[in-house]
């Protein structure tokens, strides 16, 4: 299967960058060429993605990262997932007649985390200045960039809403009332000026670290927070609930928050150690699935065969069911993660996988958590209805729902970054006057029922779907990978990882392989629907494989060829050889290196 790939696996020794847009990847590589390290490159790449993929990420979004610093010789998590503001209480939301948090508008907003996360990465791991990492993004915001067709489709899909209800967004994305056309030169001069002012305030200080701290202050305690606060004091906007609502976020919420560095959660699997975020994100689902699959002969299965697809899907269903019952911000909820990852628990869960597809949402019962299990399952039976599947392929990218981007970087010194920024989509909420960007909608991942690990509460992190990956082989940092895709992120990453680890496919071949996922469990996104037994598979699979999956009871939807998943990856071999790859799907992700 390595004989032909859609693109070459990139090889080199100097540095590699892979991201979901070719311009951003090229910018990251240019930072390495200028003497920056992997962290500098990732930061610059991340800001450029906010310009060239504004329907998938923006300055008001959020960002978790897995990083390996050669100097520190350890893997760490940068948590730039902002929590719910002080005024975001269940009582406040239900008093407005809501049973679910809308997927857009101002009530869905948590503290924007990504800017502080990027600055924390730059300060503690990078080597460059605020100006160095922001100037490429300023260039494309000010001079323009060839707008993606899917950005145009997204704007077209919300054009009426912008004109009727969100005039600041209408002015930003349809200046003069004119729709952009695909690949035309689109600018965001207001955003460029915001970043220029941040640089000016930073450079009023002396010393790199002092400048970075000044930039953080400008965003969270200065003019940016002030502009957001002033707007939110009076703004009352239409959202997907069909009504107008005011937001809960204030400038005071922003002033009191900062990104943090945490230990990763890890799991050992066939000589590999996979590092993920804690259970405030869905990352442990990947690890739980590995614990179940450890008892199967994955290496003996055809990586594009029915046994492989069925076994991985059924294991995923079990892990995602546990996500619903047990995951949440561990600062607010007791998460029995050691039990969920134990060999004993995995062995019991493994026995539930049969030759036939399960139609049941089957969460395990952890001792001491019986009441919580029953409470969550009862709530899901009422409030998570079957309906349209979120993100069956990438068709949703032209709709009101947004998605995500991903970046992988490895430099010549062996520093690694795997980061999945998201949120603050142009369609999330109205553009903030004078800033050129909007806020996020991550709060939609909370439930409004009290007593759950993911119940809404002030200061609590939503259980994000953002889940970058970093893996060590025999203790040596080796692999960085990830993908956009909401609830599908773990699923697409797992296929890639298993095919690479067990079947020896190089990075590009593992990415090119036909992809699949299930929407069997409740979606993390409004309106929180689920499709029991569903399986979405690309038409790239052989017809007999698809027929075999139907015969096993999977409720199969066959997606068009090359329409599922947006994976990128990078690897460093023991001899220092670097590798990188990016998906051909959507024809925009790119890996570069030398």
């Amino acid at each position: 299967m390595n004989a032909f790939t859609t693109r070459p696996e990139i090889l080199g020794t100097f540095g590699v960058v892979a991201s979901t847009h070719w311009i951003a990847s090229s910018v990251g590589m240019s930072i390495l060429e200028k003497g920056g390290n992997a962290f500098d490159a990732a930061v610059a790449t991340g800001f450029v993605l906010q310009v060239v993929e504004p329907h998938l990420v923006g300055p008001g979004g959020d960002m978790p990262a897995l990083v390996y610093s050669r100097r520190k010789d350890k893997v760490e998590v940068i948590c730039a997932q902002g929590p719910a503001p002080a005024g975001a209480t269940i009582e406040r939301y239900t008093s407005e007649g809501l049973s679910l948090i809308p997927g857009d508008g101002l009530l869905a907003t948590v503290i924007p985390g990504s800017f502080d996360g990027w600055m924390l990465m730059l300060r503690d791991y990078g080597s460059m200045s605020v100006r160095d990492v922001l100037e490429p993004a300023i260039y494309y915001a000010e001079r323009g960039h060839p707008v993606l067709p899917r950005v145009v489709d997204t704007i077209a899909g919300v054009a009426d809403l912008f004109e009727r209800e969100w005039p600041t967004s209408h002015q930003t994305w349809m200046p003069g009332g004119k729709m952009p056309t695909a690949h035309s030169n689109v600018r965001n001069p207001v955003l460029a000026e915001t970043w220029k002012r941040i640089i000016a305030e930073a450079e009023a200080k002396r010393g790199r670290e002092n400048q970075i701290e000044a930039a953080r202050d400008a965003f969270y305690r200065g003019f940016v927070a002030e502009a957001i606060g002033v707007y939110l004091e009076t703004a009352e906007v239409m959202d997907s609930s069909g009504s107008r609502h005011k937001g809960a976020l204030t400038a005071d919420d922003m002033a009191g928050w900062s990104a943090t560095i945490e230990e990763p959660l890890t799991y050992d699997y066939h000589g590999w150690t996979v590092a993920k975020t804690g259970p405030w994100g869905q990352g442990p689902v990947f690890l739980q699935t590995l614990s179940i699959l450890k008892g199967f002969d994955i290496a003996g299965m055809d990586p594009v065969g029915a046994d492989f697809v069925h076994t991985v899907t059924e294991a995923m269903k079990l892990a995602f069911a546990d996500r619903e019952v047990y995951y949440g911000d561990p600062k607010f909820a007791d998460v029995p993660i050691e039990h969920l990852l134990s060999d004993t628990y995995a062995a019991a869960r493994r026995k539930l996988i049969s030759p036939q597809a399960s139609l049941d949402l089957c969460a395990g019962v952890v001792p001491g958590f019986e009441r919580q299990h029953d409470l969550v399952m009862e709530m899901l039976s009422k409030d998570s209805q079957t309906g349209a599947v979120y993100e069956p392929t990438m068709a949703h990218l032209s709709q009101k729902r947004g998605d995500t981007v991903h970046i992988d970087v490895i430099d010549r010194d062996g520093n690694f970054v795997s980061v999945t920024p998201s949120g603050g989509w142009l369609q999330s909420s109205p553009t903030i006057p004078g800033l050129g960007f909007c806020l996020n909608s991550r709060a939609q991942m909370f439930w409004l029922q009290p007593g759950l690990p993911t119940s809404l509460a002030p200061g609590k992190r939503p259980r994000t779907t953002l889940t970058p990956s970093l893996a060590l082989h025999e203790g040596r940092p080796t692999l960085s990978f990830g993908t956009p895709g909401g609830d599908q992120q773990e699923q697409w990453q797992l296929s890639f990882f298993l095919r690479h680890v067990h079947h020896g496919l190089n990075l590009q071949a593992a990415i090119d392989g036909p992809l699949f996922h299930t929407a069997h469990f409740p979606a993390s996104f409004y309106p929180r629907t689920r499709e029991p037994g569903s399986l979405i598979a690309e038409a790239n699979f052989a017809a007999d494989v698809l027929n075999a999956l139907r015969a096993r009871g999977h409720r199969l939807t066959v997606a068009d060829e090359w329409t599922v998943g947006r994976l990128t990856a990078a690897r460093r071999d023991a001899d220092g050889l670097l590798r990188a790859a990016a998906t051909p799907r959507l024809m925009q992700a790119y890996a570069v290196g030398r």
Side-chain angles (χ1 to χ4, degrees):
M1 291 186 66
N2 276 339
F4 173 81
T5 55
T6 57
R7 298 168 176 178
E9 182 186 53
I10 299 299
L11 301 175
T13 56
F14 177 80
V16 288
V17 181
S19 85
T20 48
H21 196 290
W22 69 89
I23 288 177
S25 297
S26 297
V27 164
M29 193 66 199
S30 76
I31 295 293
L32 295 180
E33 298 283 5
K34 293 173 184 174
N37 63 23
F39 311 107
D40 300 314
V43 176
T45 302
F47 279 112
V48 169
L49 285 171
Q50 294 173 8
V51 179
V52 299
E53 293 198 271
H55 61 319
L56 308 180
V57 67
D62 29 42
M63 180 272 277
L66 269 294
V67 299
Y68 171 78
S69 164
R70 190 72 177 268
R71 175 177 57 84
K72 290 187 174 185
D73 192 26
K74 63 187 300 189
V75 177
E76 294 175 302
V77 174
I78 296 177
C79 175
Q81 175 55 67
T89 64
I90 290 176
E91 294 73 22
R92 155 82 188 275
Y93 285 57
T94 55
S95 70
E96 300 194 30
L98 297 171
S99 58
L100 291 173
I101 297 176
D104 58 4
L106 300 179
L107 277 179
T109 294
V110 299
I111 296 170
S114 66
F115 187 86
D116 207 59
W118 289 125
M119 291 298 104
L120 180 62
M121 183 184 293
L122 183 66
R123 185 195 71 185
D124 289 4
Y125 303 91
S127 64
M128 288 185 157
S129 69
V130 176
R131 176 180 291 275
D132 290 333
V133 297
L134 275 177
E135 278 192 330
I138 291 171
Y139 174 90
Y140 288 107
E142 191 170 51
R143 301 280 191 94
H145 65 281
V147 66
L148 294 168
R150 288 179 180 273
V151 176
V152 175
D153 291 344
T154 299
I155 296 169
V158 291
D160 290 344
L161 173 72
F162 282 4
E163 186 172 8
R164 292 193 321 269
E165 304 286 350
W166 297 3
T168 53
S169 296
H170 188 264
Q171 181 181 1
T172 300
W173 298 107
M174 301 172 65
K178 185 178 179 181
M179 274 287 301
T181 57
H183 306 305
S184 63
N185 203 34
V186 166
R187 299 173 175 85
N188 189 342
V190 178
L191 177 58
E193 290 304 314
T194 296
W195 283 331
K196 285 181 180 180
R197 184 171 172 184
I198 287 174
I199 290 174
E201 296 200 11
E203 292 182 344
K205 304 290 185 180
R206 297 187 63 180
R208 193 184 81 91
E209 291 195 9
N210 289 335
Q211 290 183 358
I212 294 170
E213 289 305 305
R216 297 172 82 182
D217 286 341
F219 196 99
Y220 289 90
R221 288 160 287 279
F223 80 95
V224 174
E226 180 181 350
I228 291 171
V230 168
Y231 173 71
L232 292 179
E233 281 179 3
T234 58
E236 188 171 358
V237 308
M238 180 65 70
D239 57 43
S240 51
S241 72
S243 301
R244 295 179 179 84
H245 295 103
K246 293 187 67 175
L249 182 69
T250 67
D252 287 342
D253 291 313
M254 294 181 62
W257 180 83
S258 60
T260 55
I261 297 173
E262 301 180 359
E263 295 294 316
L265 189 65
T266 62
Y267 187 78
D268 294 335
Y269 179 84
H270 291 280
W272 291 79
T273 300
V274 181
K276 301 289 281 188
T277 69
W280 50 267
Q282 70 174 353
V285 166
F286 191 100
L287 308 183
Q288 273 198 253
T289 309
L290 289 180
S291 74
I292 295 170
L293 294 177
K294 190 182 278 188
F296 291 94
D297 181 18
I298 300 297
M301 298 179 184
D302 179 349
V304 294
D307 285 346
F308 179 86
V309 175
H310 174 79
T311 304
V312 172
T313 299
E314 294 305 297
M316 274 286 187
K317 288 178 183 177
L318 297 171
F320 272 106
D322 284 347
R323 180 192 75 167
E324 296 307 306
V325 172
Y326 298 109
Y327 292 14
D329 187 343
K331 294 180 180 178
F332 286 76
D334 182 11
V335 183
I337 199 66
E338 290 186 6
H339 185 90
L340 294 173
L341 291 174
S342 68
D343 290 344
T344 301
Y345 185 73
R349 301 291 277 163
R350 195 177 299 128
K351 292 177 182 177
L352 299 175
I353 296 177
S354 76
Q356 286 297 112
S358 173
L359 303 182
D360 298 322
L361 188 66
C362 184
V365 181
V366 175
F369 289 80
E370 292 87 353
R371 184 176 181 278
Q372 177 174 307
H373 172 277
D374 294 346
L375 182 66
V376 173
M377 297 303 289
E378 180 183 1
M379 183 273 295
L380 293 178
S381 69
K382 294 185 298 183
D383 293 340
S384 177
Q385 303 300 317
T386 58
V389 178
Y390 175 69
E391 299 177 306
T393 60
M394 268 103 58
H396 67 287
L397 298 184
S398 63
Q399 301 169 356
K400 198 171 180 181
R401 298 182 178 118
D403 197 0
T404 306
V405 299
H406 184 77
I407 304 163
D408 296 299
V409 187
I410 308 175
D411 64 26
R412 58 184 170 180
D413 295 322
N415 297 304
F416 284 65
V417 180
S418 176
V419 56
T420 310
S422 186
W425 314 314
L426 69 87
Q427 65 275 30
S428 293
S429 59
T431 301
I432 306 296
L435 295 182
F437 67 85
C438 62
L439 297 169
N440 61 79
S441 55
R442 191 64 58 182
Q444 66 183 292
M445 296 178 178
F446 288 115
W447 292 102
L448 294 178
Q449 286 71 21
L452 311 180
T454 49
S455 298
L456 177 66
K460 191 176 189 177
R461 289 171 288 185
R463 190 203 67 208
T464 179
T465 53
L466 306 176
T467 176
S469 302
L470 201 157
L472 298 83
H473 184 239
E474 297 178 350
R476 177 180 51 81
T478 302
L479 188 62
S480 168
F481 58 103
T483 179
D487 293 308
Q488 283 71 59
Q489 289 180 35
E490 303 296 4
Q491 304 188 62
W492 297 336
Q493 289 185 67
L494 189 68
S495 296
F496 159 80
F497 180 74
L498 295 173
R499 288 165 174 168
H500 182 61
V501 167
H502 288 295
H503 303 101
L505 301 187
N506 72 32
L507 299 185
Q508 192 64 53
I511 286 173
D512 284 353
L515 290 172
F516 59 94
H517 63 267
T518 178
H520 175 80
F521 47 85
S524 297
F525 296 85
Y526 181 88
R528 312 302 293 267
T529 55
R530 57 190 171 98
E531 283 295 323
S534 68
L535 178 63
I536 297 89
E538 283 182 306
N540 307 41
F541 282 102
D544 62 331
V545 171
L546 298 174
N547 288 334
L549 292 168
R550 290 189 185 94
R552 296 187 185 205
H554 294 281
R555 295 174 175 174
L556 187 67
T557 298
V558 180
D560 290 343
E561 293 184 348
W562 305 108
T563 58
V564 172
R566 298 182 64 208
L567 288 154
T568 71
R571 173 176 171 138
R572 186 176 191 268
D573 292 348
D575 61 0
L577 182 68
L578 303 178
R579 305 169 183 266
T583 184
R585 297 163 174 92
L586 295 189
M587 295 185 290
Q588 64 187 62
Y590 237 83
V592 294
R594 68 171 179 85

